[in-house]
Amino acid sequence: VKQAGGGAYRLFDAGMAAALIRRRVLEADLRDALMHNAFDVHYQPIAEIESRRIVAMEALLRWTHPTRGSISPAEFIPIAEASGLIIPIGEMALSRACLEAMHWPPATRLSVNLSPAQFKSETLVQSVVRALEASGLPASRLELEITESVLLVESRDNLAILHQLRALGVHISLDDFGTGNSSLFYLRAFPFDKIKIDRSFVQELPTNLQCVAIVRAVTGIGQCLNVATVAEGVETEEQLAHLRKEGCTQMQGYLFAKPLPAEAARKLFGAWQEEEVA
Ligand code: C2E
Ligand code: CA
Ligand code: CA
Ligand code: CA
């Protein structure tokens, strides 16, 4: 039994011990997976609501554990962040995704998630430059998705890094908008190119009045700032109709397409042939 604050007692029970052990084991296995190139990158399209044209593809990491099977990024990304492993894992994902994006129509952008921990690396800007150079992908085709936490605490440098990335010609998206503590503050702190409305607000459209109000406010901000707004996690035609009516510009979600392995994602472009460009 461990004593916690306020005289409360917390049981350090078998369940917690098991969770801790799983974390330790997964951390070791992540190192292994990195060495053996055991990660995969899937791609989920982001489409314009009006035309249904794919404007970007978001790269999403996948990990199939040798004995435990598929492990959700929601579980392994936090472990990778806490251990610093997200830096090499993130670099690997970025460079692989840049190479893959060269197989898509030239107007399609690649969107890559950056974790706050990657901003602690001295070499973030350098590794972005390297990934672009190695693949030949123009900087203007790369979008980096960050969450509000990147601009939180001890982050004076992070703002400078964002400006350096922007100076390369890379676009910066504000991910999971609305889930942090002071989202509006961050919109003032940096001129984002895109705002992604978190799935939690989209899910309950159009019945939940709070969600309706928040989505209306965010798309309004987007229109005012002339910044694209993307609704995450769109699953139903009803949600899509509501978002269109509110003037949201882009959608991402199972309704349009799930994240797909590289080969399957390429097929979404249908008639487009890379040979035509080559
Ligand atoms: P995220 O950046 O918010 O990514 C969107 C998540 O929503 C993805 O989960 C995607 O599969 C899921 N999703 C998309 N459409 C729908 C839908 O219609 N319904 C539902 N229920 N879910 C939908 P995923 O792939 O499990 O990734 C979870 C999180 O892990 C991501 O959230 C992101 O924060 C993180 N992540 C994934 N790949 C990377 C990466 O390469 N680097 C970093 N730093 N984080 C990553
Ligand atoms: Ca994202
Ligand atoms: Ca998101
Ligand atoms: Ca999210």
Side-chain angles (χ1 to χ4, degrees):
V1 176
K2 279 192 163 182
Q3 190 167 11
Y9 286 84
R10 197 166 52 126
L11 281 177
F12 190 80
D13 60 25
M16 284 171 69
L20 202 70
I21 290 168
R22 181 177 163 96
R23 240 186 119 87
R24 285 276 157 74
V25 171
L26 286 183
E27 187 184 321
D29 293 346
L30 275 173
R31 267 176 227 286
D32 228 58
L34 186 62
M35 273 190 346
H36 298 101
N37 212 0
F39 294 102
D40 210 353
V41 184
H42 285 196
Y43 301 89
Q44 186 180 34
I46 299 170
E48 226 163 47
I49 287 183
E50 276 314 317
S51 62
R52 297 208 167 211
R53 193 177 66 91
I54 298 172
V55 290
M57 300 274 249
E58 179 174 1
L60 294 160
L61 268 169
R62 294 293 177 261
W63 180 28
T64 307
H65 188 280
T67 57
R68 291 162 200 253
S70 162
I71 299 185
S72 161
E75 180 172 16
F76 75 78
I77 296 283
I79 298 171
E81 281 174 352
S83 58
L85 281 170
I86 192 66
I87 293 169
I89 293 174
E91 280 178 9
M92 173 276 300
L94 175 70
S95 50
R96 272 176 65 174
C98 285
L99 286 167
E100 181 58 29
M102 294 299 285
H103 296 282
W104 308 337
T108 315
R109 291 199 177 124
L110 164 69
S111 207
V112 176
N113 292 285
L114 284 189
S115 117
Q118 287 175 273
F119 282 74
K120 292 197 196 107
S121 144
E122 305 280 290
T123 56
L124 176 60
V125 177
Q126 221 180 302
S127 63
V128 171
V129 171
R130 247 185 283 124
L132 291 171
E133 283 177 357
S135 61
L137 189 75
S140 61
R141 284 185 61 193
L142 180 63
E143 298 177 349
L144 296 172
E145 299 193 5
I146 64 150
T147 55
E148 294 154 16
S149 48
V150 163
L151 293 173
L152 215 73
V153 288
E154 49 173 339
S155 65
R156 269 187 34 230
D157 292 355
N158 288 359
L159 196 58
I161 294 170
L162 279 183
H163 282 289
Q164 286 175 42
L165 290 168
R166 167 65 74 66
L168 297 175
V170 168
H171 294 243
I172 311 288
S173 305
L174 183 53
D175 201 0
D176 298 345
F177 184 75
T179 56
N181 295 318
S182 36
S183 307
L184 296 175
F185 173 83
Y186 297 107
L187 275 184
R188 210 188 108 181
F190 187 81
F192 291 93
D193 299 289
K194 189 180 266 194
I195 303 170
K196 298 190 78 173
I197 305 171
D198 192 67
R199 178 162 67 88
S200 57
F201 302 115
V202 175
Q203 232 167 2
E204 289 178 55
L205 293 178
T207 44
N208 182 312
L209 278 183
Q210 279 75 26
C211 292
V212 168
I214 290 163
V215 166
R216 180 169 300 169
V218 179
T219 51
I221 290 170
Q223 284 165 353
C224 247
L225 296 174
N226 200 18
V227 162
T229 43
V230 189
E232 297 189 318
V234 181
E235 293 183 354
T236 69
E237 288 291 350
E238 202 181 19
Q239 291 165 351
L240 181 61
H242 181 87
L243 290 159
R244 176 185 289 120
K245 192 184 75 191
E246 292 295 343
C248 182
T249 53
Q250 299 177 7
M251 62 165 153
Q252 182 178 14
Y254 296 169
L255 179 67
F256 190 77
K258 290 198 170 182
L260 297 165
E263 284 294 318
R266 284 186 205 179
K267 296 204 174 98
L268 292 174
F269 297 110
W272 186 81
Q273 297 290 313
E274 353 177 359
E275 285 74 25
E276 286 174 17
V277 177

